[in-house]
Amino acid sequence: MKQHKPYNLLNKAEPYLWILPSVILMAIFIIVPIGFVFRMAFSQVTKAGLVKGFCGFANFSKVLQGAKFGMVLKNTIIWTILVVVLSTVLGFILALLLNNEFKGRKIARAIVVFPWATTLVIQASVWKFIINTDYGALNTLLKSLGIIQQNVNWTPTPEAFFGWEIACGIFVTIPFVCFTALSGLQSIDASYYEAATVDGASYFQKLWNITLPLVKPSLTVATVLNIIYVFNSFPIVWTITKGDPASRTDTLVTYLYKLAFYNGKQGEAAAVSVIGFLILLVCASVYMVSTLKKGDE
Amino acid sequence: MKKIIAMLLVLSMALALAACGGSAAPAATEAPKADAPAATSAPAAPAADGKVTVTMIAAQYGPKTGDWWVDFEQKFEAANDGIDLVVDCVSWNDIYTVVNTRIANGQAPDLLNIDVFADYQADGLLLPAEDWCSAETYAKFYQAFLDQSVVDGVVWAVPDLASARAMYYNKDILAEAGVEVPTTWEELTAACKTIKEKCPDIYPWGIDMTTDEGQAAFAYYTWGNGGGFVDDNGEWILNCAENVAAVEYAVGLVKDGLTNSDPANNTRYDLQDLFCAGKLAMMIAPNALSAQAGEAGVNYGFAAIPNNSGTSVSAGVMDRIMCFDNGQSAEQMAAITAVVDAFYDDEPYSEWVLMEGFLPATSAGGEACAAADPAMGAWIDIVGSAKFYPTAKAEWADVKQGVIDVEQQALLGEDVQTLLDNLQAEIAG
């Protein structure tokens, strides 16, 4: 037995050694930068980017006392909830449609991927062009169809602008939800539906009692990832409005970008980043724990 | 055996990664000590072949900038055998991040071409211009330009180029509406109303109050009303009565429907596109619009910016070259001076300014540019009398964003006086 001890030890250590490179890569590219952001958030940073030493919670208190932080946080929550919820609902419906057998299904699936496969900046630029008052595609189309005679200003208020940004966010997020849900749908054994049909279950009864519970794990993963992606999304808001006018369409990410690179307040920007990180951590954890618990029950 | 080999490979990979991380990551945030910036930055070190290296970061003004600097490097090194010049040409989108990262890494360049300098000066990172700029080159600059880079009586940077703003107008639209080129606010309002009435598909006046350049709109109207950012003593006067009236006037033009539809989101580039498409009658723009409008076939003219105080003021924008205090030796300082002298030599400098489509910062450059392009002469006169943003003041970044915010909130219906009072209190205490 004694001769086998080193071999056993090696055997036990082997899995850990295999994941070691990933752990090291994560440490370097994720944990270390997060550590530096935390350090910066608690430091006095000059406009030239020099870290001048520990300043406690000074950056946090400046950010929290700022007149705009509350509004920006509210915008971020509205942006995240609307984009995640609506894209999940629409993406799931689209997945149900694409899960049916019909002619041209492969082409339809390929088309759904397009918004996801295109760079967000390009997507947002296209949306900005479509809704432009003076030379936008929407006005041109409606005029050529004779529906309108004069150009319509589709973005007369900051709220309208924000609404278009949310619409763009939903449009680019749907494909991800759709394909995650589709993968879940395809793994459901057809015999469940056959049995339910024999028992006389309606379409919605099957959807509610078979499809949804079995797709739930896929949708949970998609939702958690979406909360993180959408909360941290920068290109759409930045390309369309840069958070203007007067931060009415800013989210935390565009707000902190302006703080860091337009106002030169990198310490405060890092503090906003830490606040966002903590909010995400709590939201994602609560959602994940509650969903998985329900699943276990 | 295979398992042992595989594990050895994993271990070696892990160690290699750990080694990479260990050397690179912590250095990225090491800051030079406040009291000894010179000791922590990378000096212009002698190159391996015994040459003195001068490093420079240059702003990329246009598509030809990078090639021009490569050519300049080659010619300079051919003429100066003992100097290795290394120029990194960086786009405006990235330059602030690149410079700040290099400073934080203790790798500040010797020379930097950028627009702002006050933040670097405030951290004690710069050398006075007279330490690295020869008397001959120093004497070439317009004094008004040098004055923009003075802090505590010392010039910390020298100008590399400038641009000035004037009012562009579409001659055909003005003729169709039967209005003269406006010179005062009263005439401007009347002209806009007439254009709106006679040419309903045309925007009479262009205003950009975006995050991109809203501070320029603040400057045009407040300077044109006898106000501005600072008084004669350099104290902030953001909430003076002239400024309040000026912002109210500009916002009034928007609310009366005499301007582009969304000044908080239409950038100057959007307005220039509208002007070149013949959809905008008048706007304030830099001299670069001449080329764009000419190419688009617009029958344009330019004139002084309309004002309400009897004196038209043009807004000038100026970029700079500065030298970081990297603890250079006398030999290295001489090499830096040689680079600066070569850049401002009349021939290459004029060629560079003309190529970039801006206005020269030296009198000799001005003469050369005026000779090469007669239209440039009028602009050189305009820039000579232009006012500049108070970029030498440490609060400038906050003021710039602050006035843009005031304009955008005023567009949403907030009270201008209250907004400017709040900004003044925030900036000046």
Side-chain angles (χ1 to χ4, degrees), chain A:
Chain A
M1 283 298 280
K2 269 181 187 174
Q3 331 169 359
H4 293 293
K5 248 190 178 174
Y7 178 75
N8 283 344
L9 196 69
L10 212 60
N11 238 9
K12 276 182 185 171
E14 189 186 342
Y16 299 103
L17 286 172
W18 280 113
I19 61 164
L20 191 63
S22 308
V23 171
I24 291 168
L25 279 173
M26 280 170 66
I28 293 170
F29 293 108
I30 300 174
I31 298 167
V32 170
I34 288 174
F36 284 146
V37 170
F38 270 82
R39 178 183 171 231
M40 208 177 232
F42 290 99
S43 303
Q44 190 197 342
V45 187
T46 70
K47 286 185 175 171
L50 298 181
V51 178
K52 292 277 186 181
F54 183 71
C55 69
F57 285 91
N59 288 326
F60 289 88
S61 70
K62 275 184 203 160
V63 164
L64 295 172
Q65 284 165 10
K68 287 180 176 168
F69 182 77
M71 179 177 66
V72 173
L73 186 61
K74 191 178 121 197
N75 285 350
T76 313
I77 292 167
I78 293 171
W79 157 261
T80 309
I81 290 175
L82 286 182
V83 173
V84 172
V85 170
L86 293 177
S87 64
T88 304
V89 171
L90 295 174
F92 180 65
I93 293 171
L94 197 59
L96 288 175
L97 292 175
L98 290 176
N99 197 37
N100 293 326
E101 287 287 345
F102 61 90
K103 210 175 178 184
R105 184 168 77 156
K106 280 183 181 170
I107 295 170
R109 284 183 180 179
I111 290 170
V112 172
V113 180
F114 285 167
W116 196 27
T118 318
T119 317
L120 279 180
V121 175
I122 300 295
Q123 288 274 354
S125 302
V126 169
W127 275 72
K128 192 179 180 185
F129 172 73
I130 289 171
I131 59 173
N132 185 283
T133 309
D134 303 306
Y135 43 82
L138 187 56
N139 274 339
T140 309
L141 177 72
L142 294 176
K143 268 164 93 176
S144 65
L145 292 173
I147 296 169
I148 57 168
Q149 306 306 318
Q150 292 290 320
N151 283 341
V152 173
N153 184 0
W154 298 104
T155 51
T157 60
E159 291 75 21
F161 248 129
F162 201 47
W164 283 107
E165 285 169 348
I166 288 170
C168 179
I170 293 167
F171 181 74
V172 299
T173 312
I174 282 175
F176 174 64
V177 181
C178 176
F179 279 90
T180 317
L182 201 55
S183 69
L185 287 173
Q186 286 180 339
S187 65
I188 301 175
D189 197 324
S191 61
Y192 293 128
Y193 293 108
E194 285 161 14
T197 308
V198 169
D199 290 344
S202 70
Y203 175 80
F204 287 103
Q205 280 174 320
K206 282 188 268 185
L207 178 69
W208 201 253
N209 296 310
I210 300 173
T211 312
L212 270 177
L214 292 173
V215 171
K216 209 173 170 185
S218 308
L219 282 181
T220 303
V221 172
T223 307
V224 171
L225 289 176
N226 263 341
I227 289 171
I228 296 165
Y229 291 153
V230 174
F231 189 94
N232 282 328
S233 177
F234 176 80
I236 295 172
V237 172
W238 191 255
T239 306
I240 296 180
T241 59
K242 281 200 166 79
D244 291 341
S247 288
R248 298 286 176 98
T249 61
D250 258 326
T251 61
L252 281 182
V253 181
T254 55
Y255 180 62
L256 78 86
Y257 185 84
K258 281 191 209 170
L259 272 179
F261 300 110
Y262 282 67
N263 290 67
K265 295 175 177 173
Q266 296 179 48
E268 288 177 42
V272 175
S273 189
V274 167
I275 293 169
F277 173 78
L278 294 175
I279 293 171
L280 267 184
L281 199 68
V282 170
C283 290
S285 308
V286 167
Y287 180 79
M288 201 122 174
V289 167
S290 70
T291 318
L292 294 178
K293 254 188 183 174
K294 277 180 194 166
D296 290 343
E297 283 161 12

Side-chain angles (χ1 to χ4, degrees), chain B residues 325-392:
Chain B
D325 183 359
N326 289 339
Q328 296 95 337
S329 66
E331 191 188 9
Q332 289 159 349
M333 289 306 296
I336 290 167
T337 304
V339 172
V340 175
D341 283 349
F343 174 71
Y344 284 105
D345 190 32
D346 294 345
E347 197 183 326
Y349 178 69
S350 307
E351 175 197 296
W352 181 70
V353 170
L354 281 171
M355 179 197 76
E356 301 292 13
F358 285 93
L359 303 172
T362 68
S363 45
E367 286 162 17
C369 290
D373 180 2
M376 202 71 128
W379 280 102
I380 290 162
D381 289 343
I382 290 171
V383 79
S385 62
K387 272 195 177 185
F388 292 88
Y389 301 135
T391 48

